[in-house]
Each structure stands twice: as C-alpha cells, then as structure tokens.
Amino acid sequence: MTAEGYRKIGLLQRLIDTGALVKGRTNVLLWDEPESNINPILMKLLVQCMLELARNGQQIIIATHDYVLLKWFDLLIDEMKGDHIKYHSLYRTEVDSAVEVMTTDEYLELSPNAIDEAFGFLIDQEIVNDMGALGK
C-alpha cells in the first residue's frame, strides 16, 4: 500500500513514462482537486511537480477549493522561468444568480475569493477563542 499523496506524484511520473506527458509537446492535464487525500506536507512537492511540467510545455488546468494549494502556487511561481498562472473565481451574482467569472494573474487580486474568505473566518475564530481564554 502506498499513501495517496505519493500515488498522485507517482501518477504524474507514470504519465511521463508512458508518453502521455512529453517534454516539448503541448498536452493538457485536467486535474480536479489534486490536493484531495494528500498529506499537507506533500502539497509543496505536488505544486513543484506541476510547475516543472508546465515549464516543459504542459498546460495544466486544476480545480481546487484548497487555500494551501493555491498559496503554494502563489509563492512558488517564478516569472523568470516562464511561469504563467491564471486564477479564476466562479461565483453567482446576487441579483439574478447568474454564474460569473473573475480572472486574474495575481492570487491576491482574486475577488470574490470564497477560499480566502473561509480561511480568514477560521483565523478570526481562532483569535476569538484565544482572546476568550485570556479573559477567563
């Protein structure tokens, strides 16, 4: 048995070994929630693998709800190496519930950003809990 995180990284290696992902040939890798079932300690390695694939001509499209995965992309992107990432936020309008999209090259400019908001709520709750403990 192999841990799921290692299996995912191994799957990328297998795609390279079988020629499904070939250096210099543009392919598209579609990956829904690559962070699911992965040990958070492996998240940086997973992002580094995806960035290296992209640097070698692979187009990668991922869907995620994970702040840590997004933040690793934000921290590891290197424009000097040709990295280019587009962030998209899908959301519903309040008026007619139509689905809209916001696209940006900068993670911090992504708005609305439900992932960032949820993470912010978590940190706010931790601060409230810590302050409550101080007052007792």
Side-chain angles (χ1 to χ4, degrees), residues 8-9 12 31-51 60-77 85-87 107 110 113 115-116 119:
K8 286 183 178 198
I9 293 168
L12 290 177
W31 203 345
D32 184 28
E33 298 183 344
E35 75 283 352
S36 66
N37 299 323
I38 192 168
N39 185 325
I41 204 79
L42 295 174
M43 199 79 69
K44 180 180 179 183
L45 178 60
L46 182 63
V47 170
Q48 288 171 322
C49 290
M50 286 190 274
L51 286 172
I60 301 171
I61 300 171
I62 65 168
T64 185
H65 298 98
D66 191 88
Y67 175 82
V68 175
L69 183 78
L70 288 171
K71 196 60 184 171
W72 273 121
F73 273 109
D74 185 45
L75 294 171
L76 295 175
I77 188 171
I85 295 177
K86 289 275 189 191
Y87 298 93
Y107 176 72
L110 196 61
N113 185 339
I115 297 167
D116 198 49
F119 194 74

Side-chain angles (χ1 to χ4, degrees), residues 20-34:
L21 298 176
V22 178
K23 183 176 181 177
R25 188 176 81 201
T26 303
N27 292 307
V28 178
L29 174 62
L30 303 171
W31 203 345
D32 184 28
E33 298 183 344

Side-chain angles (χ1 to χ4, degrees), residues 60-120:
I60 301 171
I61 300 171
I62 65 168
T64 185
H65 298 98
D66 191 88
Y67 175 82
V68 175
L69 183 78
L70 288 171
K71 196 60 184 171
W72 273 121
F73 273 109
D74 185 45
L75 294 171
L76 295 175
I77 188 171
D78 186 345
E79 292 178 3
M80 298 297 286
K81 292 182 178 180
D83 294 346
H84 181 75
I85 295 177
K86 289 275 189 191
Y87 298 93
H88 306 281
S89 174
L90 300 174
Y91 62 96
R92 291 194 180 273
T93 61
E94 290 185 24
V95 177
D96 59 2
S97 292
V99 175
E100 297 284 333
V101 63
M102 193 285 184
T103 301
T104 181
D105 293 332
E106 299 292 329
Y107 176 72
L108 293 175
E109 293 177 7
L110 196 61
S111 179
N113 185 339
I115 297 167
D116 198 49
E117 290 170 16
F119 194 74

